[in-house]
């Protein structure tokens, strides 16, 4: 193996929220390998701290930047719960409208951020002179991508989403016949009507990309990049795509040579719990403990739903640890401990833990797989429904609909997960498969980041497809040539036959 | 990581010739891991020995089996040289005719082999009772695939070819716009006419599969397998595909989650040379040594060509080690040492070695990459032209046409490779990339073989596509439904308009 490039200079353009939580896991490891990290953040950032022992930061202060705060998510959740009570067809349209609104808002903020940077000449000069070896970015929103191209840097993605869909769609062939679109609640085995739905959803995501996302950056690209530059090509040109999934979780689908799967990289071996929490866990006896957390959505549940949940927990013989903020539910039982923050990974890895009640964010799902804990899903937004579906079809989770939640339903799901051994067996099997890798997902991620630095890119892993216009990629020009050839030969045959016929007729005439 | 399953029972169905040379590398490693190996071989086998310290063998003696000997290859080479003097168009057709002949011959022999086995009830009972954990096979010809399905065994491929094409074609989407077909001498950057050619070559390979290969096994499958069984589905259902390429060598293209790349697994760190050979190498001084070998094709060159080669070698200041059998060329120089067998890997890794004159088989190409030695290519058959092309477009090789070889041409190619430093630099870069992996290709192959044994398959990595009829896979049924929907709504709109028109006309009539 070529020697590692210690002391590389990496510029990091992360996304905020839970995306940052997992980006940090990578940054800590890169820092421990001796690399120098510079993180770009907005002054509005909720999660990304300005000062850190592992990185230096560059804070961008765009004018008119809006706050995308917890309040915004609360509204989204309320809207999502309302939508789920609508008839399917209406639900689909309203949902797509919401997606469009969210895309507009976030891309609008992204544009402000990156414009502010590109217009700040002294900053750009400073970044240029810093001679970074690599851009590490989450391309859900393309500020990092644009900056990397501006600075001519090799690029590694920490990625799951890109533009209006799942990141694979941008680089790998995606047969819509068995690759379900996101937010569809479809899986890889679809009947013909489901495949029609899948196709229509694909069309919608194409339209969102074409008419909602791309126009946001058109002006900026015209101003700051060479003529002919376009966002899609820039996005496709990343050297390595570190995907935050693996095929224990995701349905098998076509992939590309420069895609590296690091699903579950954020999971860690168990650390001992704080003393009081350990005592609480042990006090659960043979019944064990249920852990509940909604991750970054922790404050998002409406009051009446938290009451139902609290009342249901009060009925089970298990103890419950619940990550909770806000007013204490009146129906809370003695068996339930509310905490504002949980050492979630260590709790899930605790031998007393029997079930995980979760919203279905990828981080939590992977912790459940890592530690082999079956899940009761309470999905709220975004990919959470689909994430939980993936556990469900493998018999490792049950999902309940928060929009119509009753205590009976939640209790029945909880009891099923706690008492039917098949859920535990199934998630244990997923856990075994997930752990059975030649290299841990995090080590693999670090290897490929350093690989790109060692070789100043990984052009040999990027397909020629990236450089082709869409009509060539889809062989439409070949079809035109073949049709022209067929046409010409048909015409030639016809012409020849006509000629022959005339000759014969003339000869006949003469003979006659 | 889950503990390895030591002492697994593996049945191996290899191909002969150079395919066996590399299969053996894997078997040696599996044996050193404590697995029990049973190798199935034909009594006609040239390479696969009946007795070995690392495996027990089952020898099959089909009636009427024909000998596919060195003589056969000699004829093929002569024919290939003759074809290369023809005009392109004729060359293509004659070449495809030859491919068809070879396919017919080899599949015919494969059928005899597997029929003999399946009809031998005591043998099949014995194999069934042996309770193997795994079938490891090279599926270039499908005897191993059929046997694995008959015995209901998980299956790992050591693979590059399958039916009439490259193995990826069987499982991964293959955009013909940038994935060149084999034997085409095209690369991933094609103009529109080359893409038309590529498309036509694809059609030919489909026809060969459909009308030459599949019919061979139809009767056998009807007799020995459940109704509805078909060869293509059986072939696609392998758990892991260990591909004998990597993307340092192959052009980047779509792949699948159960494809593992092990290109170069057969290469080894250098062992010291025998004393006389070492003395010969050292005697070359600053000029160094040229190594020449045609691998399994070693006796295939016509007399007049070996004379040209020998005479050219006599003119260069380097020493030459040439793997050669048969009568000594009259023009041989003092600087050239003929040997019936070479420690090729150790010679290529020797510091005195400057160039490798090779026919372009994958084993030799990967040894050149592994040790960073530039290549002068003398391709003869099969994939050798394309293999060399892959080095050539990366500036690491030059190919000369044996059909029209002159001493001047060969000398110019040799001198270019020896004296122009770019070839050495380019292959050194490929070598660095090739070595820069988290796990060696051989260790990776062994890991995934043992993985399939540990988990009794790898169903979670196999795409749903394998279980779909072709019209669903290609969404043709979705197109039909969408057309029907469009049709119906057009008809409904038309009908509605007509109705409206009539109503209005009637009303008008009444009003009037």
């Amino acid at each position: 193996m070529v020697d590692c490039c210690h002391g590389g200079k990496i510029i990091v353009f992360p996304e905020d929220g839970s995306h940052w939580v997992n980006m940090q896991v990578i940054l800590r490891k890169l820092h421990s390998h001796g690399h120098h990290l510079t993180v770009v953040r907005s002054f509005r950032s909720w999660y990304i701290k300005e000062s850190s022992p592992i990185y230096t930061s560059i804070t961008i202060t765009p004018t008119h930047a809006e706050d995308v705060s917890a309040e915004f998510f609360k509204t989204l959740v309320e809207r999502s719960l309302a939508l789920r009570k609508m008839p399917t067809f209406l639900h689909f349209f309203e949902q797509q409208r919401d997606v469009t609104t969210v895309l507009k808002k976030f891309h609008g903020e992204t544009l402000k951020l990156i414009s502010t940077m590109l217009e700040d000449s002294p900053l750009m000069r400073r970044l240029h002179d810093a001679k970074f070896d690599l851009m590490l970015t989450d391309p859900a929103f393309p500020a990092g991508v644009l900056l990397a191209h501006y600075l001519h840097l090799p690029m590694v993605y920490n990625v799951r989403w890109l533009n209006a869909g799942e990141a694979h769609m941008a680089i790998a062939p995606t047969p819509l016949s068995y690759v379900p679109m996101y937010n569809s609640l479809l899986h890889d085995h679809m009947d013909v009507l489901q495949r029609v739905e899948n196709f229509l959803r694909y069309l919608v995501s194409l339209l969102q990309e074409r008419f909602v996302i791309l126009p946001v950056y058109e002006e900026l690209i015209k101003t700051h990049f060479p003529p002919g530059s376009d966002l899609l090509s820039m996005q496709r040109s990343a050297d390595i795509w570190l995907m935050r999934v693996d095929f224990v979780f995701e349905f098998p689908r076509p992939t590309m040579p420069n895609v590296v799967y690091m699903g579950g990289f954020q999971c860690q071996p168990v650390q001992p719990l704080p003393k009081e929490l350990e005592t609480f866990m042990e006090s659960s006896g043979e019944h064990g403990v249920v852990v509940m957390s909604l991750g970054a959505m922790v404050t998002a549940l409406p009051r009446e739903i938290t009451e139902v949940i609290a009342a249901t927990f009060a009925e089970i013989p298990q103890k419950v640890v619940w990550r909770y903020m806000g007013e204490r539910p009146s129906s809370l039982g003695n068996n339930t401990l509310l905490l504002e923050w949980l050492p979630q990974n260590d709790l899930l890895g605790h031998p007393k833990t029997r079930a995980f009640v979760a919203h279905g964010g990828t981080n939590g799902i992977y912790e459940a797989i890592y530690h082999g804990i079956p899940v009761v899903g309470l999905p709220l937004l975004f990919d959470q429904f689909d994430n939980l579906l993936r556990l469900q079809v493998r018999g490792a989770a049950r999902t309940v609909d928060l929009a119509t939640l009753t205590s009976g339903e939640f209790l029945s799901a909880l009891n099923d997960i706690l008492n039917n051994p098949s859920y535990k067996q199934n998630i244990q099997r997923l856990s075994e498969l997930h752990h059975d890798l030649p290299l841990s997902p995090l080590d693999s991620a670090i290897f490929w980041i350093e690989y790109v630095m060692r070789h100043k890119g990984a052009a040999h892993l990027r397909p020629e497809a990236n450089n082709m216009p869409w009509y060539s990629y889809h062989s439409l020009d070949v079809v035109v040539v073949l049709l022209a050839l067929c046409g010409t030969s048909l015409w030639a045959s016809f012409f020849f036959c006509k000629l022959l016929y005339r000759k014969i007729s003339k000869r006949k005439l003469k003979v006659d």
Side-chain angles (χ1 to χ4, degrees), chain A:
Chain A
M1 197 186 297
V2 177
D3 205 23
C4 247
C5 66
H6 282 285
K9 290 182 78 173
I10 305 174
I11 180 163
V12 184
F13 214 130
E15 293 302 330
D16 216 317
S18 61
H19 290 230
W20 169 247
V21 173
N22 67 46
M23 180 67 101
Q24 250 184 317
V25 176
I26 298 179
L27 298 190
R28 262 183 238 119
K29 191 85 177 186
L30 284 173
H31 178 259
S32 80
H33 278 217
H35 300 296
H36 306 291
L37 307 171
T38 303
V39 172
V40 184
R41 63 185 283 282
S42 160
F43 79 112
R44 285 282 197 200
S45 177
W46 342 315
Y47 277 64
I48 308 167
K49 298 276 166 290
E50 186 157 13
S51 71
S52 155
I54 62 166
Y55 60 79
T56 52
S57 71
I58 297 174
T59 299
I60 310 300
T61 312
T63 41
H64 313 300
E66 283 171 38
D67 193 13
V68 185
S69 65
E71 209 45 46
F72 174 73
F73 279 102
K74 211 165 173 174
T75 323
L76 274 185
V77 168
E78 276 162 19
R79 173 101 177 122
S80 159
L81 290 173
L83 285 190
R84 296 188 70 75
K85 290 178 188 158
M86 290 181 183
T88 319
F89 200 64
L90 203 62
H91 176 212
F92 173 75
F93 279 99
E94 290 294 315
Q95 190 190 38
Q96 293 311 318
R97 221 177 56 171
D98 283 9
V99 170
T100 305
T101 311
V102 172
L103 287 176
K104 264 188 186 155
K105 184 172 179 79
F106 279 91
H107 282 285
E109 292 308 305
T110 306
L111 178 71
K112 288 177 199 163
L113 193 64
I114 185 69
S115 310
T116 308
M117 290 192 78
L118 296 186
E119 279 154 19
D120 183 346
S121 311
L123 171 66
M124 294 318 288
R125 202 167 316 118
R126 189 151 60 84
L127 290 181
H128 185 268
D129 293 345
K131 294 196 192 310
F132 292 106
D133 298 303
L134 182 81
M135 165 66 80
L136 172 63
T137 185
D138 184 331
F141 301 95
V145 175
L146 289 162
L147 184 60
H149 276 265
Y150 194 88
L151 298 172
H152 303 290
L153 297 179
M155 191 162 49
V156 173
Y157 285 164
N158 164 4
V159 58
R160 187 148 176 241
W161 310 108
L162 196 135
N163 295 353
E166 204 265 342
H168 281 98
M169 312 274 306
I171 42 156
T174 299
L176 294 172
S177 50
Y178 73 95
V179 181
M181 294 296 296
Y182 259 77
N183 263 334
S184 67
L185 278 175
L186 296 169
H187 52 88
D188 58 351
H189 187 77
M190 298 178 252
D191 64 29
V192 63
L193 288 181
Q194 288 172 322
R195 281 185 280 117
V196 169
E197 180 190 336
N198 203 42
F199 177 77
L200 295 176
R201 283 180 181 274
Y202 170 68
L203 276 190
V204 171
S205 81
L206 267 192
L207 294 176
Q208 280 164 342
E209 180 175 89
R210 181 68 197 83
F211 295 106
V212 180
I213 299 172
L214 296 185
V216 172
Y217 303 96
E218 245 165 40
E219 201 51 43
L220 177 98
I221 290 176
K222 240 182 243 162
T223 315
H224 294 283
F225 291 86
S229 303
D230 71 296
L231 185 60
L232 293 181
S233 308
M234 291 191 216
Q235 288 173 323
R236 276 198 296 263
S237 75
D239 290 283
I240 293 286
W241 300 55
L242 302 172
M243 291 272 181
R244 296 194 296 268
V245 291
D246 65 0
F247 292 105
V248 170
F249 164 78
E250 189 52 281
F251 302 120
R253 57 151 294 144
T255 173
M256 294 304 281
N258 57 347
V259 174
V260 174
Y261 294 92
M262 60 161 187
F265 69 98
Q266 67 276 64
C267 305
Q268 309 276 344
V270 173
Q271 299 292 318
L273 292 173
K275 209 167 172 188
E276 301 99 90
L277 201 49
E278 179 62 39
T279 315
F280 180 81
M281 296 298 282
E282 287 304 331
S283 75
S284 67
E286 53 162 343
H287 290 299
V289 176
V290 172
V291 177
M292 166 154 178
S293 168
L294 303 184
M297 308 272 130
V298 65
T299 58
L301 280 188
R303 181 79 194 161
E304 61 276 18
I305 295 181
T306 53
E307 286 295 345
V308 171
I309 293 173
T312 313
F313 280 150
E315 287 183 48
I316 60 172
Q318 281 74 20
K319 298 237 165 170
V320 179
V321 184
W322 184 355
R323 183 173 178 198
Y324 188 88
M325 272 178 199
E327 206 183 323
R328 189 182 160 89
S330 63
S331 48
L332 200 75
N334 286 333
N335 63 342
T336 304
L337 177 67
L338 299 184
L339 290 172
E340 291 213 348
W341 180 85
L342 293 186
Q344 186 170 295
N345 183 65
D346 305 331
L347 274 173
L348 291 178
H350 195 281
K352 286 287 184 199
T353 302
R354 299 285 184 268
F356 182 31
V357 180
H359 67 316
T362 335
N363 290 347
I365 291 275
Y366 265 108
E367 282 171 346
I369 293 175
Y370 185 90
H371 295 296
I373 301 297
V375 172
V376 178
L378 307 175
L380 291 160
L381 281 180
F382 308 134
D383 56 325
Q384 296 158 10
F385 299 90
D386 275 317
N387 291 342
L388 285 162
L389 176 83
R390 276 148 185 72
L391 284 195
Q392 218 175 314
V393 297
R394 278 134 184 156
R398 270 192 63 167
T399 301
V400 292
D401 189 348
L402 277 172
T404 56
L405 188 74
T406 64
S407 183
E409 249 177 277
F410 186 44
L411 186 63
S412 133
L414 257 181
N415 275 332
D416 198 16
I417 289 287
L418 287 164
N419 303 321
N420 179 340
S422 76
Y423 293 102
K424 179 73 182 171
Q425 284 156 11
N426 289 331
I427 197 135
Q428 280 277 0
R429 176 162 164 79
L430 294 184
S431 188
E432 273 167 30
L433 290 171
H434 174 72
H435 284 277
D436 196 2
L437 283 173
L439 195 67
S440 85
L442 183 57
D443 286 339
S444 177
I446 301 299
F447 175 86
W448 288 105
I449 291 171
E450 292 180 337
Y451 181 95
V452 171
M453 288 199 279
R454 277 196 290 277
H455 303 291
K456 305 190 189 315
H460 66 293
L461 298 179
R462 298 200 317 242
E464 180 64 19
N466 292 355
N467 313 320
M468 301 173 84
W470 62 271
Y471 52 86
S472 297
Y473 174 78
H474 292 291
S475 290
L476 295 185
D477 46 5
V478 170
V479 171
V480 167
V481 170
L482 285 175
L483 285 178
L485 277 176
C486 288
T488 315
S489 38
L490 268 176
W491 179 81
S493 324
F494 177 73
F495 187 76
F496 181 74
C497 289
K498 217 168 94 178
L499 217 73
L500 211 71
Y501 175 76
R502 272 190 200 166
K503 278 233 161 143
I504 292 170
S505 319
K506 264 189 198 170
R507 199 172 292 175
K508 259 195 169 176
L509 228 64
K510 273 185 193 171
V511 171
D512 292 348

